[in-house]
Amino acid sequence: MLTYAYMLAITCFPTVLSQWWYTTTPTVQFQVRLVGGPSSSEGRLEVLVKDQWGTVCDSRYSSRFDYIGGDLVCRELGFDIAIDIKNSDSYGRSTGPVWLNYIYCTGEEDFLWQCDNDYFGSSGCDHSEDVAIRCASAKDGEPIVRLSTTNRYNKAPRNVGNIEVFYNGKLGHICRYDSSWGIDEANVVCKELGFERATKADAPERYADSVYSVYRPNYIIAEIDCDGTEGRLAECDIDYSSNCRSSPSNKVASVTCTNKKAGLSSGKVAGVTIACLLSIIMFIVVSVLIYVSKKKKSIPQQPNQQDETQVVFTNSPSNVQQQQQMTMS
């Protein structure tokens, strides 16, 4: 009996202590912003506490900052959803304090400050673990696509995950069954996310997770048909509905994209380089020809030799003397 009580205490005490810690932690309201990015929709996440801006930690030793918190931040800033959560190195490192760590949001909150979090300024993190977010808003009724690469207990590679679609104000999944989801559809999703292509039309099970429950998935696309040449999911034939066919093989659509972001291949780079060199050579040749032409026009022309002889003859002393004699006579 004592052994059972001891085991129960050891098992339950951390949970009870955690709940007590967060319910007794004073709630402090704070503002949020994204800094260091090319626009206001992306950058390093910072919160304003005690009149000083500081960062939010995404420690690998605690639960991850996921899309639930990211969506809250983006909505606070006037955007629809977060489409990427990553390390802030690409946006520069902060020199201010690290204000928050272990942010736990349920999705019921309206603001990030309503989520459970550690005491301000006692995170034990450094700026190498700062959170960065990229937000997006729907344009002209088109869907927004993202990969659920972050969840509360694991962080998948950035090119792997379940596909989440934001459409008509709702976030959901793509229904996958054999005749509706394949490599063509996966290629379109990867291209829209900035990757070259898809390597597989699914993801490893350990990464095929979502911060929003996949056990009761909210299907937003029942069927989709792409030929693989489209650049965006919106260009495919899509049935926007939750009527996913009842089948044991049905599950949320996932994808594995190439690690390499889309860009110029080595062949294309070589072609562009040669074209640039030829353009430079042509420019130099044309510039030299124009210079030589202007130089020729600027050289004064010498008088005709015959004209010089005539002028000399006309103004010779003998002629002048003859003209004077004729005038006197």
Side-chain angles (χ1 to χ4, degrees), residues 114-152:
Q114 295 174 328
C115 301
D116 290 334
N117 56 76
D118 275 354
Y119 276 128
F120 297 105
S122 61
S123 66
C125 297
D126 59 45
H127 289 302
S128 66
E129 299 172 304
D130 288 344
V131 173
I133 302 174
R134 187 155 62 100
C135 303
S137 293
K139 296 179 181 179
D140 301 324
E142 291 191 0
I144 301 175
V145 181
R146 74 183 184 189
L147 292 183
S148 58
T149 57
T150 57
N151 60 53
R152 193 155 289 128

Side-chain angles (χ1 to χ4, degrees), residues 208-273:
D209 192 6
S210 174
V211 292
Y212 300 98
S213 175
V214 295
Y215 300 105
R216 292 177 298 169
N218 173 32
Y219 290 113
I220 201 168
I221 294 179
E223 294 188 46
I224 181 170
D225 183 24
C226 310
D227 60 25
T229 62
E230 299 88 350
R232 307 189 320 277
L233 200 70
E235 298 173 2
C236 302
D237 293 329
I238 300 176
D239 175 16
Y240 290 104
S241 72
S242 59
N243 299 323
C244 187
R245 295 184 183 181
S246 177
S247 169
S249 63
N250 281 358
K251 56 182 178 180
V252 171
S254 59
V255 70
T256 300
C257 303
T258 57
N259 285 319
K260 190 176 180 181
K261 285 287 186 176
L264 293 176
S265 64
S266 58
K268 291 182 179 180
V269 171
V272 171
T273 303

Side-chain angles (χ1 to χ4, degrees), residues 27-28 30 72 104-105 108-117:
T27 301
V28 177
F30 52 78
L72 278 175
Y104 182 90
C105 306
E108 301 295 326
E109 302 87 357
D110 295 317
F111 303 96
L112 189 67
W113 59 264
Q114 295 174 328
C115 301
D116 290 334
N117 56 76

